[in-house]
Amino acid sequence: MDIAKKYENVKQRIEKAALRANRNPKDIKLVTVTKTHPVEVIEKALQLGIEYIGENKVQEAEAKLPKLKGKYKEFHFIGHLQSNKIKNLIPLCPTLIHSLDKFSTIRKLHNYLQKNELHQDILIEVNTSGEESKFGVEPSSTLPLIKAVANFSNVHIKGLMTIGKLTDNKDEIRTCFSQLRELQQQIAQQNIAGVKMELLSMGMTNDFEIAIEEGANIVRIGTAILGPRQYKEKR
Ligand SMILES: *Cc1c(COP(=O)(O)O)cnc(C)c1O
């Protein structure tokens, strides 16, 4: 299948999942994850009408995005952000950073933004799967973290992000997503000044339909649209 067909197929699956959950498909933003794919492949995808692209490594984004200038509508940063890369990421104008989970990094981000008179929308990444290998704040530590960073005036919390458990057990995956939604609702009820809880970024190639059924309004999809990732061969 070529990218055009795969993209159409994913859009239809998003629509069906939304309708199943009595939701408006237009409320779900599709971020196409372009990590490891070369600029030529991304250009092809953008010609099909893909508007939002996601990258997970600052260095890779720095190399690719300038070549795609004006061709995409939004760049989303979805990877782990090391604090020494903040100065490299922000000039790339990410619409949203999905993946912050540490007080010290958020504080450094705020300080950098303030110095440069900039503002940044972010999500807090939550580890809902309990998998050691995953980034993200513990569910029980999410509210305390958000309270601790809420007064950083140049960082704007817009919601939560998670990565579903890597398993074939659909119930376990669904639990990750329903847990994120419940956390979102609990935090929203606190009415913390400066904190919005309107975005739920969850769902990837293997689980985006479950995520949509559980309330995702941003899905991050790579493989189902662009095919297998092209990691450089190690020699
Ligand atoms: C790579 C990646 C995705 C996309 O994964 P696919 O399974 O290829 O759809 C989504 N979110 C994050 C954080 C990623 O790193």
Side-chain angles (χ1 to χ4, degrees):
M1 250 201 302
D2 60 17
I3 295 177
K5 286 205 187 106
K6 284 193 269 210
Y7 177 50
E8 276 312 309
N9 180 266
V10 166
K11 281 197 292 187
Q12 277 176 22
R13 285 169 62 192
I14 290 172
E15 188 173 322
K16 278 192 190 142
L19 295 177
R20 265 202 307 279
N22 276 317
R23 302 184 52 202
N24 185 344
K26 293 205 179 80
D27 293 341
I28 294 149
K29 179 176 273 189
L30 167 57
V31 173
T32 300
V33 177
T34 51
K35 66 187 189 199
T36 78
H37 293 284
V39 167
E40 304 78 61
V41 172
I42 303 171
E43 271 174 341
K44 239 186 252 168
L46 292 168
Q47 281 163 10
L48 300 171
I50 284 169
E51 297 177 304
Y52 313 120
I53 60 175
E55 289 282 340
N56 72 335
K57 294 216 163 71
V58 175
Q59 223 178 349
E60 189 181 339
E62 271 186 301
K64 284 162 35 177
L65 294 186
K67 298 178 186 157
L68 295 164
K69 230 186 177 121
K71 296 181 178 167
Y72 59 88
K73 209 160 163 183
E74 293 181 2
F75 156 53
H76 290 239
F77 188 73
I78 62 171
H80 182 67
L81 179 59
Q82 289 168 291
S83 57
N84 62 349
K85 296 281 168 62
I86 289 170
K87 62 182 187 307
N88 303 84
L89 176 62
I90 298 305
L92 301 173
C93 300
T95 299
L96 187 63
I97 302 175
H98 289 229
S99 37
L100 288 161
D101 61 1
K102 238 168 99 186
F103 177 82
S104 59
T105 309
I106 300 172
R107 183 178 54 193
K108 279 191 186 139
L109 176 62
H110 165 71
N111 290 341
Y112 176 89
L113 293 164
Q114 198 174 41
K115 216 173 10 178
N116 293 282
E117 296 182 38
L118 295 168
H119 288 260
Q120 180 65 52
D121 287 348
I122 68 162
L123 305 178
I124 300 297
E125 178 171 355
V126 183
N127 181 344
T128 55
S129 65
E131 289 166 303
E132 290 279 332
S133 58
K134 295 234 168 96
F135 289 110
V137 62
E138 292 292 308
S140 61
S141 306
T142 307
L143 179 59
L145 173 63
I146 288 176
K147 281 183 170 162
V149 299
N151 64 340
F152 290 150
S153 54
N154 295 50
V155 173
H156 305 282
I157 299 175
K158 297 287 177 184
L160 305 176
M161 178 274 226
T162 199
I163 297 177
K165 190 167 180 177
L166 186 64
T167 168
D168 292 331
N169 185 326
K170 293 214 157 76
D171 292 334
E172 286 184 42
I173 298 171
R174 189 176 294 277
T175 301
C176 294
F177 297 148
S178 59
Q179 202 185 351
L180 197 72
R181 189 194 58 230
E182 281 159 24
L183 203 51
Q184 173 203 33
Q185 287 163 353
Q186 282 167 21
I187 295 167
Q189 275 169 12
Q190 305 268 323
N191 283 316
I192 304 163
V195 174
K196 294 234 167 74
M197 274 291 126
E198 59 205 18
L199 298 178
L200 270 187
S201 168
M202 54 190 197
M204 312 178 11
T205 289
N206 288 325
D207 55 21
F208 68 88
E209 285 146 313
I210 302 172
I212 289 168
E213 287 168 11
E214 295 300 328
N217 50 23
I218 304 182
V219 291
R220 313 173 307 266
I221 301 179
T223 311
I225 297 172
L226 298 176
R229 276 185 274 284
Q230 310 177 358
Y231 289 106
K232 284 201 190 93
E233 273 184 59
K234 286 201 180 111
R235 277 167 184 272

